[in-house]
Amino acid sequence: MMLAATMATGNTEGVAPRSSGFVARIDLSGPIGPAAAEYVDDSLHRATRDGAAAIVLQLDTPGGLSDSMRQIIASILAAQRPVIGYVAPGGARAASAGTYILYACPVAAMAPATHVGAATPVSLGGNSPLPSPNPPAPSGSAAVTPSSDAEANKVLNDAIASLRSLAQLNGRNADWAAKAVQGAATLTADEAVQMHVADLIAPDIPTLLARLEGRHVHVAGQDVVLHLTGLPLRDYAPNWRTHLLGLVTHPTIAYLLLLAGMYGLVLEAFHPGVFLPGVAGAICLLVGLYALQLLPVNYAGLALMLLGIGLVLAEAVMPSVGAIGIGGVIAFVIGSIMLFDTGVPGYSVNLGVIAGIALGAVAVLGVLLRLVARSRRARAFNGDMQMLLATGELTQPIDAHGDGWARIGGEQWRVHCESSLPVGTRVRVVGRDGLLLRVTRA
């Protein structure tokens, strides 16, 4: 009997008992950013605390920020439950940063009509992909300076090593991983399974769980056997903090917050004591600056924006022929386009918003120039010349060759008239002797 017990124990060693509980699903769609990284990390921890047997990370992303991608990968590698990367629904993609995340998952699955790849890192200085290591020298050139692309090659080689290490960790195609980074290679779902980039194809999550029945995966240093068939699926939606962080770190929203903050403080400076523009502007500016420190910002673009706003304000304070204001609008538009010009999918300011704000600035500038031109054409009045054209109303009757009082220009004046006039008569100023105005019937 003891021998039988020992044999039974030996047969079950390293095999987890049939799972109970539920399967968690985390829906990671859209660009990868700080909000997405926090959402994945928080959901993985909550699902583990709640007793999930496994976690399905459903992917549909064009890519995103490198730092956020690395945070998600670190969370997946530290997870205490099997994480199943699943590119779905049909038509979805795990491109760029999504490829790294899929490779980091112990199980990689794809729905039909999906694709994976194009994991070439993008330089933060522009939209062009980074060059491949050791590029061939152009024909006719004497030499290629290795230092010119040294930094780009470091980034590229680091990306290749990162993806290859994830491929080796989970037993996937490491050679294709290098091609995905260096040559932006892509694969359909069928090709990915054939190339050992993905483990299987499943049209939906219940089918996926059924096809994973009895599969061995390596999780947290242990070999685990998946028994997930028939388990209920529980969705883990982003919480309010994640929604707020996603809203604030959206490039267009961060851009608008910066503008609202700047103009609010400017209005408060021109109209001190109003308080509302200053308080609202300070809040918007601080929130916008918080978003900037989470996003890949081109500070040359930010400097151009500040220069543009300064020039437009200078045009308003010291009107010229419009050259300063037009230069300010041009600098502002160029800076706005450059602000998040990183080539990272989903991380650029909407051009329609920039165009709308620029047109508004041009309209305000046009109105300002028109008012300046009108004021320069207007006849200048001061002293007696202005008073001679003034009209008013008698506030008491006047006898012939007598004096009285009249309201002229909102002020009470002592007036003299050669003829008698009743109270309320409209009069016009025809002369002035010190503080005494000579008037006649208007």
Side-chain angles (χ1 to χ4, degrees):
M1 179 177 290
M2 292 180 60
L3 180 60
T6 303
M7 292 177 63
T9 303
N11 291 337
T12 60
E13 185 176 356
V15 179
R18 180 169 293 274
S19 300
S20 60
F22 64 94
V23 174
R25 176 171 64 180
I26 302 173
D27 187 7
L28 183 57
S29 58
I32 304 297
E38 180 170 309
Y39 164 52
V40 171
D41 184 67
D42 178 68
S43 298
L44 288 173
H45 283 92
R46 284 194 292 142
T48 302
R49 288 197 305 268
D50 294 344
I55 301 167
V56 175
L57 180 60
Q58 185 167 314
L59 293 168
D60 181 11
T61 175
L65 304 180
S66 174
D67 289 343
S68 300
M69 174 199 74
R70 294 182 184 277
Q71 292 177 29
I72 293 175
I73 291 175
S75 299
I76 293 173
L77 297 180
Q80 300 299 311
R81 296 291 187 272
V83 179
I84 304 166
Y86 182 43
V87 185
R93 55 179 170 168
S96 191
T99 303
Y100 293 80
I101 294 172
L102 186 66
Y103 259 83
C105 296
V107 178
M110 301 178 69
T114 58
H115 65 275
V116 62
T120 304
V122 178
S123 169
L124 292 183
N127 292 326
S128 58
L130 294 175
S132 58
N134 303 321
S139 59
S141 63
V144 177
T145 305
S147 61
S148 61
D149 292 327
E151 190 65 29
N153 290 337
K154 287 181 182 179
V155 175
L156 188 66
N157 290 330
D158 178 73
I160 293 174
S162 176
L163 197 54
R164 284 181 62 89
S165 65
L166 293 174
Q168 294 167 0
L169 175 67
N170 294 312
R172 304 210 180 96
N173 191 331
D175 293 333
W176 183 86
K179 294 179 181 178
V181 176
Q182 189 170 346
T186 57
L187 293 175
T188 64
D190 292 329
E191 293 169 344
V193 173
Q194 293 173 7
M195 297 284 292
H196 303 290
V197 172
D199 298 314
L200 70 156
I201 297 176
D204 51 47
I205 291 181
T207 305
L208 171 64
L209 300 181
R211 293 181 180 177
L212 291 175
E213 184 67 26
R215 185 183 184 91
H216 290 254
V217 294
H218 194 71
V219 179
Q222 297 181 352
D223 186 63
V224 177
V225 181
L226 300 180
H227 295 294
L228 308 174
T229 304
L231 292 184
L233 192 65
R234 182 186 299 181
D235 287 322
Y236 279 76
N239 56 26
W240 67 269
R241 173 183 166 84
T242 303
H243 281 297
L244 180 61
L245 184 61
L247 180 66
V248 169
T249 55
H250 190 285
T252 301
I253 300 300
Y255 172 77
L256 293 176
L257 285 172
L258 282 177
L259 291 186
M262 293 175 187
Y263 282 112
L265 295 179
V266 169
L267 287 176
E268 182 66 29
F270 279 101
H271 303 280
V274 179
F275 296 117
L276 179 59
V279 172
I283 294 173
C284 290
L285 186 61
L286 290 176
V287 175
L289 291 175
Y290 169 75
L292 287 189
Q293 63 96 19
L294 295 175
L295 296 171
V297 177
N298 187 324
Y299 288 98
L302 183 61
L304 280 172
M305 284 180 57
L306 294 175
L307 175 63
I309 293 174
L311 291 177
V312 171
L313 292 176
E315 182 70 43
V317 175
M318 300 178 295
S320 64
V321 294
I324 296 178
I326 293 173
V329 172
I330 293 174
F332 176 79
V333 171
I334 295 175
S336 299
I337 295 173
M338 292 174 56
L339 185 61
F340 297 108
D341 187 21
T342 64
V344 179
Y347 279 88
S348 59
V349 180
N350 187 289
L351 292 180
V353 173
I354 297 176
I357 294 176
L359 289 176
V362 170
V364 172
L365 184 61
V367 172
L368 179 65
L369 293 176
R370 182 178 179 183
L371 293 176
V372 170
R374 179 185 296 178
S375 66
R376 289 181 175 178
R377 290 195 304 266
R379 186 177 177 184
F381 295 109
N382 52 50
D384 289 345
M385 184 181 295
Q386 182 178 8
M387 185 60 70
L388 288 176
L389 294 180
T391 59
E393 182 178 298
L394 291 179
T395 57
Q396 69 179 69
I398 297 180
D399 296 330
H401 305 288
D403 297 341
W405 291 92
R407 181 175 295 277
I408 300 173
E411 301 172 340
Q412 289 285 347
W413 285 86
R414 185 77 174 171
V415 297
H416 173 83
C417 186
E418 297 297 328
S419 59
S420 61
L421 298 174
V423 63
T425 303
R426 296 290 299 176
V427 294
R428 178 171 56 85
V429 178
V430 295
R432 183 170 73 91
D433 298 321
L435 296 180
L436 179 66
L437 302 181
R438 298 192 304 275
V439 299
T440 186
R441 185 187 295 269

